[in-house]
Amino acid sequence: MGEDGVVARLCNVKALVGILAGAGASYGIYRLVRRVQSERRPGGSRRQEGGHGAGGPPLKPGTLLAKVSGIPLLRGSTSRAAGETESGSLGCEIRACRCRCRLNRLDAPLSPPGAVEPHHVEQLLSLLHNCAPERLHILVTLANAAAFSRNQDLIRELGGLPVIASFLSDPLPEVRTQALNTLNNLSMNIRNQEQLKVYVPQMLDLIEMSPVNSEVQLASLRLLTNLSVTNTHQHLLRNSITLFLSLLVVSNETIQIQVLKVLVNLSANPEMTEDIVQAQAPASLVLLLDGRTNPQVLLRLLTFVGNLRTWEGSGRRPVPVGLPSIRGRDSVHRVLLAENSELHHRLPVLMSHPDAEVKEQVARLLI
């Protein structure tokens, strides 16, 4: 065996032994280590693993986590939001910690025997940096660990955010997706958001350059949803409204819902209103205001229009310095808000929609 091979093997062994050290190491990390070891041997095979459940502390009202919609503990690079419901639970794959995710909340406190200790997280980040072939499995483990607030702080303090974000440019789409999923869980922390905001341009590029309806697009939109929950970083999306609107008319329902979550967040901020109403919009956008549109898509689109109308009619529209108030024929204002918009012909028809929330939003717009 050559000198380079011996050094690499010693490095891997040292990292793996460090993870296993201590009686408190979780079973999930043990399984990850076993996977790494077995796949280093000739004939080693890969397989998906499940996990067992525990949880984290209940959410406190008013916290960022409680405010964000759609932050599940993700199953990994191959899972889709199709398995997600807005009021139900979402199963999750466990490696680093024994936990069970429920949409927008974590359950009972994690028991000490299954806890992930700080040195485990440190070893995982080291392993991620040095063991490229296992990066996907390690990212899944870190995503699960990042569901707990103490680990969100710890990963940041250990310099893990840029390490994880470096995989946004990985050649494999499944690795890019899982890096986004991990950052998504980490974005439930306000201090983490301050560091993650620098990657917004890269997320927007991933949305624009990835195939429509891809996992990468969905994971990028989830992360942008979290970053746009508060007004702090919304200005970073100021020039991407046309991108979101264009994606809205060509994508499937899962992507449409996630795009509209971002747009609803932005439209709730009066400082973003003028940018939105002047953005170029596809004329076909108004065609989504139809009884055959998925009710969750329709409800969010109506909420988006309602938010814009609220600020349009308030007389408090701020016009950014240097931005002329010009609303062209292809603008959001022309397509959705102007007096001659087709929207006004479609709203009365929607009053017969079977969904009560949809009818309520339509009634608000008809007043």
Side-chain angles (χ1 to χ4, degrees):
M1 180 182 296
E3 182 179 350
D4 290 342
V6 172
V7 171
R9 184 175 179 183
L10 287 174
C11 174
N12 289 337
V13 170
K14 182 178 180 181
L16 297 174
V17 169
I19 290 180
L20 284 174
S26 70
Y27 178 67
I29 294 181
Y30 168 76
R31 294 299 297 271
L32 174 64
V33 172
R34 294 289 294 174
R35 181 196 299 273
V36 173
Q37 289 177 331
S38 65
E39 294 184 1
R40 293 289 184 268
R41 301 189 190 104
S45 60
R46 297 175 180 260
R47 62 185 180 89
Q48 287 292 106
E49 294 181 356
H52 303 283
L59 296 182
K60 295 180 180 179
T63 63
L64 181 65
L65 177 55
K67 290 174 63 178
V68 174
S69 64
I71 304 189
L73 180 59
L74 298 164
R75 292 192 61 185
S77 64
T78 58
S79 65
R80 291 197 63 90
E84 164 187 337
T85 61
E86 296 209 328
S87 59
S89 62
L90 180 69
C92 56
E93 184 175 10
I94 308 304
R95 286 187 177 85
C97 51
R98 299 181 179 185
C99 53
R100 178 174 56 207
C101 168
R102 194 174 298 273
L103 197 60
N104 290 338
R105 64 182 292 270
L106 299 174
D107 296 323
L110 185 68
S111 60
V116 179
E117 299 297 332
H119 67 276
H120 299 148
V121 175
E122 187 173 10
Q123 290 291 338
L124 285 168
L125 289 171
S126 176
L127 195 61
L128 179 64
H129 186 73
N130 294 301
C131 299
E134 300 305 323
R135 61 197 185 281
L136 183 59
H137 304 310
I138 299 167
L139 285 168
V140 171
T141 304
L142 286 169
N144 287 322
F148 301 97
S149 57
R150 66 174 185 174
N151 291 332
Q152 293 162 12
D153 288 323
L154 180 61
I155 290 172
R156 181 190 67 252
E157 291 163 2
L158 291 172
L161 297 184
V163 173
I164 295 167
S166 69
F167 292 95
L168 295 180
S169 57
D170 193 274
L172 294 180
E174 57 267 31
V175 173
R176 296 197 296 273
T177 300
Q178 189 54 51
L180 288 161
N181 291 344
T182 306
L183 295 176
N184 183 42
N185 284 350
L186 289 164
S187 70
M188 295 185 285
N189 180 300
I190 291 178
R191 295 186 67 182
N192 286 350
Q193 288 193 2
E194 283 299 314
Q195 290 193 24
L196 292 175
K197 68 182 181 182
V198 302
Y199 303 108
V200 168
Q202 195 169 357
M203 298 173 214
L204 293 169
D205 286 343
L206 287 172
I207 292 172
E208 187 170 7
M209 303 305 294
S210 300
V212 176
N213 302 326
S214 65
E215 294 284 349
V216 173
Q217 274 193 342
L218 180 58
S220 298
L221 287 165
R222 280 186 178 134
L223 183 47
L224 289 179
T225 300
N226 301 348
L227 293 176
S228 65
V229 167
T230 65
N231 297 353
T232 308
H233 309 302
Q234 290 182 354
H235 65 281
L236 299 173
L237 305 178
R238 194 183 298 276
N239 297 322
S240 301
I241 295 165
T242 296
L243 170 63
F244 296 139
L245 295 171
S246 300
L247 185 59
L248 188 58
V249 300
V250 299
S251 58
N252 61 25
E253 293 171 353
T254 301
I255 297 289
Q256 285 176 329
I257 289 172
Q258 206 65 48
V259 169
L260 283 165
K261 286 182 179 181
V262 176
L263 289 173
V264 168
N265 285 347
L266 298 181
S267 65
N269 180 1
E271 295 184 358
M272 293 293 297
T273 304
E274 194 69 23
D275 295 280
I276 296 173
V277 298
Q278 293 192 97
Q280 185 176 6
S284 57
L285 180 61
V286 74
L287 299 180
L288 290 174
L289 293 163
D290 186 273
R292 292 166 293 185
T293 299
N294 178 289
Q296 292 300 315
V297 173
L298 183 57
L299 179 61
R300 286 177 169 84
L301 181 56
L302 290 167
T303 303
F304 173 64
V305 175
N307 286 348
L308 295 178
R309 276 235 187 135
T310 297
W311 297 112
E312 279 261 305
S314 68
R316 292 178 290 172
R317 305 190 300 271
V319 180
V321 176
L323 180 63
S325 183
I326 300 173
R327 297 165 181 182
R329 62 181 181 178
D330 296 327
S331 67
V332 170
H333 181 269
R334 171 63 184 83
V335 174
L336 295 178
L337 301 173
E339 291 183 2
N340 58 350
S341 168
E342 189 181 340
L343 172 139
H344 301 290
H345 302 290
R346 290 177 169 269
L347 288 179
V349 179
L350 291 175
M351 279 303 297
S352 61
H353 197 281
D355 188 283
E357 289 184 288
V358 168
K359 286 194 289 189
E360 181 180 348
Q361 288 294 329
V362 172
R364 285 180 54 204
L365 291 172
L366 287 173
I367 295 175

